[in-house]
Amino acid sequence: MQEISDRPSNAIRDIFGRDKVLIGMIHCPAFPGAPRYRGAAMDAIYDACMRDAEACVEGGLHGLIIENHGDVPFSKPEDIGPETTGFMSVVTDRIARAAGIPLGVNVLANAPIPAFAIAMAGGAKFIRVNQWANAYVANEGFMEGRAAEAMRYRSLLRAEHIKVFADSHVKHGSHAIVADRSIQELTRDLAFFDADGVIATGQRTGNSATMKEIEEIGAATHLPLLVGSGVNKDNIVDILSRTNGVIVASSLKHGGVWWNPVDVERVRAFRAAAEPGLEG
């Protein structure tokens, strides 16, 4: 494989101190300003996020991503208000102080500039970005890659220590715009635009990428590879044999439903099931 970036490719080890990781999601409830917010006190929102974080840590996960998943329907990056950055910064800071494990930030939809600001303010180590390079048609409409402006903003903040994990072949959208280019080409573009890690996903939240797609993406990049949806205790060992880790959410919730609280017993069972894959 020809490497097309001179950036180091050990972001997982740099952040987590290990080669294979289990990262949980903190799906924040709707924040003020979002359509589904119904007047809940801020402490109640922050406490719900903290409880999920505590369950993930107690169950043995290696890291967490803070995400505004309750803000459905998601705004395009230019329409996200400063209130989202403010509220997510508080959540990130509180969890960072209590959890003792590395944190990431994902601001939906596809908003790396607020994510960098939140990560810098709250002490997170990385951000997730769904469309880093190229473009696609998402639920929110036409969505362009944000790498150029985001990396300039990161430089402005002197936040080069905050890494970028970027999705390849993003879920919840159509890739007809780049249908004349292979998944391998799209994946290589992430490294060319200075991402630090690559994420493979399924078609929707809770759907897994196929093993074939995981292998295709992995073969196309020298960057660490994570799987970012559809991971559960039944497929975790197979996925870890092909990747550097996973981002897991729905299968750790009560009833396996993403909007429910995290179930610490599900986290423990997932961690136990993953153990053979973590040793490899």
Side-chain angles (χ1 to χ4, degrees), residues 49-72:
C49 296
M50 287 296 298
R51 285 192 296 272
D52 279 357
E54 289 165 359
C56 288
V57 173
E58 185 177 341
L61 301 189
H62 304 115
L64 299 170
I65 297 177
I66 316 301
E67 183 179 82
N68 60 323
H69 210 135
D71 287 353
V72 181

Side-chain angles (χ1 to χ4, degrees), residues 27 43 80 118 147 167-168 194 207 221 228 235 253 262:
H27 286 148
D43 278 345
I80 294 172
I118 294 161
D167 289 27
S168 178
D194 288 345
N207 293 154
T221 185
N235 62 18
K253 304 295 189 74
V262 173

